[in-house]
């Protein structure tokens, strides 16, 4: 086991270690897998311990079950990380949407949940890990990274999206402000904002488990983004030369030119004749 407190160069760990939240499914799980293939040590974090255990066995990640909206869990996880090795990168993927109601019909419980998981938990966990990221950067004389997976919903509102728009915009502002606050330190702050990504759970959870309604969201859309597509970009952003900061990567499927402009049916070139 690595002791992060050591400063002896001979004892420095070679593999970089990333902490990935929301790792029990979707983009978080895909990111944990991707980073393992890129040679990172990975700590996979999520609430669902049994899913994490399966991932741990399969890809050789360390798993830590935690509810990042709970201060005690965040504290325990930060403590465990400090005792078990460096933290070279934090990838904030945990979050989600609940409901697709108009503002006038919005359920305050849904809004509160979205603010807790997307904004408050992100702030709390990022703040808790910053000392470890700084220590890793100092010990290695290299950079450390904080990635925020936000959404195109952070950039433009849509009818029925206000709660999620507001929560993701809030999370995005954490990234913007943090990058300014860390100016002068070797810490990169990277935001990845995906549009339509078809995952096992995101839309199903948002729509209260209504499978038919969830399927309709992606109906006839040629090749929505996959969790692996997003994980590839995160992998690239973390592998880019240390002086290169990808501030914001907005990514969508080709069929989705904008939040409000989604092509259904096969894509085809409008050739003359
Ligand atoms: C998900 C993108 O279009 O459902 O983060 O708001 S969208």
């Amino acid at each position: 086991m690595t002791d992060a407190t050591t400063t002896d160069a001979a004892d420095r760990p070679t593999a970089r270690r990333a902490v990935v939240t929301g790792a029990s499914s979707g983009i978080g799980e895909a990111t944990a897998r991707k980073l393992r293939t890129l040679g990172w040590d990975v700590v996979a974090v999520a609430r669902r311990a049994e899913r994490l255990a399966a991932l741990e066995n399969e890809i050789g990640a360390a798993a830590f079950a935690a509810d990042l909206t709970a201060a005690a869990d965040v504290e325990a996880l930060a403590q465990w990380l400090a005792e078990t090795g460096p933290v070279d990168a934090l990838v904030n993927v945990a979050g989600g949407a609940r409901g697709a109601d108009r503002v006038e019909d919005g359920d305050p419980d849904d809004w509160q949940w979205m603010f807790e998981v997307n904004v408050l938990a992100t702030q709390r966990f990022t703040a808790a890990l910053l000392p470890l990221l700084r220590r890793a950067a100092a010990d290695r004389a290299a950079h450390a990274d904080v990635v925020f997976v936000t959404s195109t919903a952070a950039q433009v509102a849509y009818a029925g999206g206000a709660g999620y728009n507001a929560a993701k915009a809030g999370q995005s502002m954490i990234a913007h402000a943090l990058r300014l606050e860390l100016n002068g330190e070797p810490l990169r702050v990277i935001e990845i904002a995906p549009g339509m990504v078809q995952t096992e759970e995101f839309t199903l959870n948002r729509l209260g488990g209504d499978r038919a309604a969830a399927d309709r969201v992606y109906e006839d859309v040629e090749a929505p983004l996959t969790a692996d597509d997003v994980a590839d970009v995160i992998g690239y952003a973390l592998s880019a030369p240390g002086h290169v900061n990808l501030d914001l990567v907005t990514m969508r499927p080709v069929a989705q030119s904008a939040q409000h402009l989604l092509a259904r049916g096969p894509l085809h070139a409008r050739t003359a004749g």
Side-chain angles (χ1 to χ4, degrees):
M1 194 170 288
T2 305
D3 177 359
T5 60
T6 185
T7 50
D8 184 333
D11 291 330
R12 276 185 204 153
T14 48
R16 301 182 79 217
R17 189 166 73 148
V19 179
V20 180
T21 73
S24 58
S25 73
I27 295 169
E29 179 184 341
T31 301
R33 290 177 187 281
K34 180 71 188 178
L35 294 183
R36 287 294 295 141
T37 68
L38 293 175
W40 288 73
D41 284 345
V42 170
V43 178
V45 177
R47 269 174 285 211
R48 293 176 291 183
E50 66 298 338
R51 277 193 171 234
L52 286 183
L55 188 66
E56 182 176 37
N57 290 335
E58 193 190 331
I59 67 170
F64 197 107
D67 175 357
L68 299 180
T69 66
D73 280 20
V74 168
E75 206 176 302
L77 174 50
Q79 179 70 34
W80 181 83
L81 288 166
E83 289 166 1
T84 55
V87 177
D88 299 285
L90 163 60
V91 187
N92 287 300
V93 183
R98 255 192 207 167
D101 302 311
R102 294 161 58 88
V103 172
E104 60 193 325
D105 303 319
D107 180 340
D109 290 342
D110 288 344
W111 282 59
Q112 185 165 345
W113 182 85
M114 287 189 279
F115 274 74
E116 276 176 5
V117 300
N118 293 290
V119 183
L120 302 179
T122 299
Q123 182 275 332
R124 190 193 294 277
F125 194 47
T126 302
L129 292 207
L130 269 178
L132 305 185
L133 291 157
R134 285 185 166 119
R135 189 195 304 167
D139 284 352
R140 291 189 194 278
H143 63 278
D145 296 310
V146 189
V147 178
F148 296 86
V149 177
T150 62
S151 170
T152 52
Q155 301 171 358
V156 61
Y158 51 90
Y164 186 59
N165 292 138
K168 282 301 188 186
Q171 187 187 36
S172 172
M173 284 301 134
I174 296 174
H176 283 251
L178 184 65
R179 192 177 304 112
L180 304 179
E181 291 163 3
L182 297 180
N183 180 250
E185 298 190 66
L187 292 166
R188 302 189 297 190
V189 177
I190 297 158
E191 178 181 354
I192 312 289
M196 176 179 269
V197 185
Q198 188 165 17
T199 61
E200 179 194 350
E201 293 185 317
F202 175 82
T203 302
L204 196 61
N205 287 345
R206 180 177 200 170
L207 301 179
D210 184 337
R211 165 62 63 192
D215 288 346
R216 276 198 297 280
V217 169
Y218 306 101
E219 201 167 64
D220 295 331
V221 176
E222 183 171 320
L225 295 181
T226 66
D228 287 338
D229 294 329
V230 182
D232 280 349
V233 173
I234 294 170
Y236 174 74
L238 292 179
S239 309
H243 65 290
V244 176
N245 195 105
L246 297 188
D247 286 17
L248 169 62
V249 179
T250 300
M251 55 187 295
R252 309 175 199 273
V254 174
Q256 187 186 37
S257 300
Q259 206 78 3
H260 65 280
L261 191 58
L262 178 67
R264 295 191 192 266
L267 301 176
H268 63 281
R270 296 186 189 104
T271 53

